[in-house]
Amino acid sequence: MKRCDTTAAWAALKGHFEAHGRSFDMREAFARDAGRFASLGFEAPEVFADLSKNLLDTATLHFLLDLARECDLEAQRDAMLRGEPVNTTEGRAVLHTALRAPPGVGPHAAEVHAVLDDMLAYADSVRSDWTLTDVVNIGIGGSDLGPQMVVRALDAHAPAGQRLHFVSNIDGHDLQPLLQRLDANKTLFIIASKTFKTQETMANAHAARDWFMSQGGHAIAKHFVATTTNVQAAAEFGITTTFGFWDWVGGRYSLWSAIGLPIAIAVGSENFRALLAGAHAMDRHFAEAPLAKNLPVVLGLLDVWYRNFHGFTSRSVAPYHQGLARLPAYLQQLEMESNGKRVDLSGAPLPFATSPVVWGEPGTNGQHAYFQMLHQGTDVVPVEFIAVKTPGHPWAGQHKMLLANCLAQSQALMLGKTAEQALDETAPTASPDIAPEVLAQHRSFPGNRPSTTFVLQALTPHSVGALIALYEHRVFTSGALWGINSFDQWGVELGKALCNQLLPRLSSGSTEGLDASTAGLLQRLTS
Ligand code: F6P
């Protein structure tokens, strides 16, 4: 396996970038090539992706595909899917795909389906238990973001008379306002933690248990359940109902496991199985489609093209569906915790950039906040639009407005507007003190700014499953080419260790041996 920058394809891409990439104008490319939309449109399960409004053409794709081949992307993918320990720094396999395979298929099928069946039967029993009005998931990172995002996306399937809540922050301002609204004997707490050691989750779990007892709550066994790989620690906490999973499921890849319990309660077992089936359909596409037609692969290659050749530092995600409001936050962990790495598998520092910053808000809200910068700022930020054809609400007119906005934004980013065009228009709020030529400069748009648009038929359990799996495999693809370990997260450890060292000082006020800044701040916070 070769790291991307050591390949002949990388050198060829560099040449291609200098000759065609740097100056590529997609408006000219559309004028030249009537088949551009067709040749840069990709079909995958549940997702159509239009890549034609990007700074590349089929020649660029050929170079990128050569890079994938030379980096043995398919062999790397197959090793992961077979269950080889590709997470080398933790000595673990990476098998979230096994969680959504049908019974009898792939590694660990028997144990996966045993827990899944139990978990789903339990979820349905909670869902139909009218004595439970509120379910609170206490977890953070992968034990929060995925389930929270999917519960929101599939809100249409939520049971009547039962509310799902998510508490993640160590900040008591997260838990306290929620507890004030709850009735202890009508509430179920799910303590979700792969390790059952995470500071935030354990602190909130203890606070919730103390509150439960103080409210005259009885039957901890009925009102607290755990989803974890650390069944022993959950038992020590006093929890008797635990749904387990395995160390080969990474935290940010765990919504398909028992960590998905809040999803299963929110949408029911049938829909949870449909979510898994959607993801499995995308897994098969990733495993079987030829590289040139493999959507996660092509998206991962586009990410490499933008990060390493164009030098773009971020990507903005704009889901034009309010149900996907938490998708950008979920993707931040998926992509930045996976690929925010600076050494390769051998520990050597990388001479090229890795994960971009991923950020965004649902459309149209983002348009009225930061889209100004996307259209006229000094940085080029590739944008990813997600359009959903069929709404779940009855207001057809509003949905048309939403879709028109989505299409208009990618069009505006691409087309731009010259100062000459701006000069020909009457500015609605033009000041008499500004020269028309000056104003035209302010009102012009460079255009040629890249975007990808995904189209989904509807937001369903199956399509949401496929969409998330698409993102997972895309992150795998860029990580594999970069030669990094996309499945560890050592970067979060130093802060955790220093926090543990500082914690007693918050009580003692001692600043001995601290750097001057931390000492000064600690003093302000404690004296
Ligand atoms: O601190 C990072 C992290 O380890 C994430 O990778 C993980 O999703 C999160 O913390 C929560 O971990 P756990 O599920 O073990 O509580």
Side-chain angles (χ1 to χ4, degrees):
M1 177 192 97
K2 283 184 177 166
R3 199 177 75 187
C4 56
D5 59 317
T6 65
T7 61
W10 186 264
L13 266 164
K14 270 191 171 163
H16 174 73
F17 177 72
E18 291 308 332
H20 303 286
R22 195 186 286 286
S23 58
F24 188 87
D25 190 312
M26 63 179 116
R27 295 158 297 195
E28 290 168 12
F30 272 107
R32 264 198 315 270
D33 177 9
R36 184 171 166 86
F37 176 73
S39 56
L40 292 172
F42 294 83
E43 296 281 359
E46 297 280 4
V47 185
F48 169 78
D50 171 26
L51 268 68
S52 65
K53 290 197 189 86
N54 279 293
L55 301 173
L56 85 179
D57 55 19
T58 45
T60 316
L61 258 186
H62 281 126
F63 283 107
L64 287 166
L65 289 163
D66 284 345
L67 180 68
R69 283 183 209 103
E70 226 181 316
C71 293
D72 286 331
L73 176 66
E74 285 166 299
Q76 293 198 58
R77 172 197 65 194
D78 296 345
M80 175 180 75
L81 297 177
R82 268 198 309 274
E84 286 178 23
V86 296
N87 176 356
T88 50
T89 63
E90 296 181 303
R92 291 177 183 167
V94 174
L95 275 173
H96 44 280
T97 48
L99 299 169
R100 53 239 190 173
V105 175
H108 303 289
E111 46 186 329
V112 163
H113 282 274
V115 177
L116 178 65
D117 292 348
D118 283 355
M119 192 270 272
L120 291 184
Y122 175 75
D124 281 342
S125 74
V126 170
R127 197 176 149 84
S128 58
D129 183 345
W130 57 268
T131 68
L132 290 171
T133 56
D134 294 87
V135 177
V136 182
N137 188 81
I138 295 180
I140 197 164
S143 300
D144 166 65
L145 290 164
Q148 193 183 151
M149 184 264 290
V150 175
V151 165
R152 178 100 191 248
L154 301 178
D155 198 29
H157 304 278
Q162 209 167 53
R163 290 169 295 263
L164 260 293
H165 312 275
F166 290 86
V167 172
S168 53
N169 202 333
I170 188 73
D171 182 0
H173 295 110
D174 200 1
L175 181 64
Q176 193 215 21
L178 173 63
L179 292 185
Q180 280 171 349
R181 308 199 307 269
L182 298 182
D183 177 337
N185 283 312
K186 293 183 180 168
T187 300
L188 172 70
F189 290 96
I190 301 170
I191 313 302
S193 175
K194 178 176 172 181
T195 55
F196 224 77
K197 284 185 183 154
T198 305
Q199 183 193 54
E200 292 90 334
T201 303
M202 289 302 101
N204 279 322
H206 281 102
R209 191 179 60 182
D210 292 348
W211 169 85
F212 180 77
M213 306 297 272
S214 75
Q215 298 294 300
H218 40 83
I220 293 238
K222 179 176 175 202
H223 291 273
F224 283 78
V225 297
T227 51
T228 183
T229 58
N230 191 350
V231 179
Q232 166 86 23
E236 282 160 17
F237 183 90
I239 293 180
T240 46
T241 306
T242 297
F243 299 98
F245 59 109
W246 308 273
D247 71 357
W248 40 263
V249 181
R252 53 193 174 274
Y253 299 87
S254 65
L255 71 90
W256 323 98
S257 72
I259 290 291
L261 176 59
I263 305 174
I265 294 172
V267 305
S269 57
E270 288 286 297
N271 286 319
F272 192 84
R273 287 189 195 278
L275 180 84
L276 298 181
H280 180 65
M282 190 60 77
D283 293 343
R284 292 198 58 180
H285 172 80
F286 178 54
E288 293 164 14
L291 293 185
K293 296 207 174 302
N294 195 312
L295 182 55
V297 169
V298 171
L299 289 171
L301 293 174
L302 179 66
D303 293 338
V304 169
W305 177 237
Y306 280 164
R307 192 75 186 95
N308 300 126
F309 294 89
H310 283 278
F312 301 150
T313 56
S314 84
R315 191 174 84 247
S316 188
V317 180
Y320 276 63
H321 194 303
Q322 194 61 26
L324 294 174
R326 294 294 289 164
L327 181 69
Y330 164 79
L331 292 178
Q332 283 177 335
Q333 188 195 13
L334 177 66
E335 192 148 347
M336 293 161 75
E337 198 172 75
S338 296
N339 284 351
K341 309 287 164 65
R342 52 172 283 288
V343 297
D344 69 13
L345 289 170
S346 76
L350 296 173
F352 52 81
T354 57
S355 175
V357 176
V358 179
W359 57 285
E361 278 288 322
T364 59
N365 295 3
Q367 290 174 213
H368 298 273
Y370 54 78
F371 268 54
Q372 162 66 38
M373 178 266 199
L374 299 180
H375 287 291
Q376 288 189 318
T378 48
D379 284 299
V380 175
V381 179
V383 185
E384 204 156 271
F385 295 95
I386 303 175
V388 181
K389 187 177 166 193
T390 313
H393 62 71
W395 300 293
Q398 266 183 252
H399 190 61
K400 284 181 185 145
M401 290 182 213
L402 177 78
L403 294 182
N405 270 283
C406 181
L407 294 175
Q409 290 303 319
S410 67
Q411 204 182 20
L413 285 165
M414 173 178 72
L415 294 179
K417 185 198 281 182
T418 62
E420 291 71 38
Q421 288 169 322
L423 198 55
D424 290 344
E425 297 170 351
T426 332
T429 55
S431 153
D433 300 329
I434 190 165
E437 294 74 17
V438 174
L439 186 60
Q441 290 300 334
H442 288 272
R443 287 168 51 82
S444 68
F445 295 69
N448 202 35
R449 297 208 158 179
S451 68
T452 298
T453 301
F454 294 157
V455 179
L456 273 60
Q457 284 294 315
L459 214 54
T460 63
H462 199 266
S463 69
V464 169
L467 181 69
I468 300 168
L470 170 66
Y471 277 109
E472 288 176 346
H473 298 321
R474 164 205 204 148
V475 169
F476 173 88
T477 298
S478 51
L481 265 60
W482 287 328
I484 59 179
N485 183 352
S486 299
F487 300 104
D488 60 11
Q489 55 284 320
W490 298 107
V492 300
E493 293 304 326
L494 178 60
K496 285 184 189 172
L498 293 182
C499 173
N500 287 335
Q501 287 171 24
L502 284 169
L503 189 54
R505 294 177 187 261
L506 265 292
S507 304
S508 69
S510 163
T511 59
E512 206 189 317
L514 289 180
D515 64 89
S517 164
T518 309
L521 292 169
L522 192 103
Q523 228 159 26
R524 276 189 174 258
L525 288 165
T526 54
S527 57

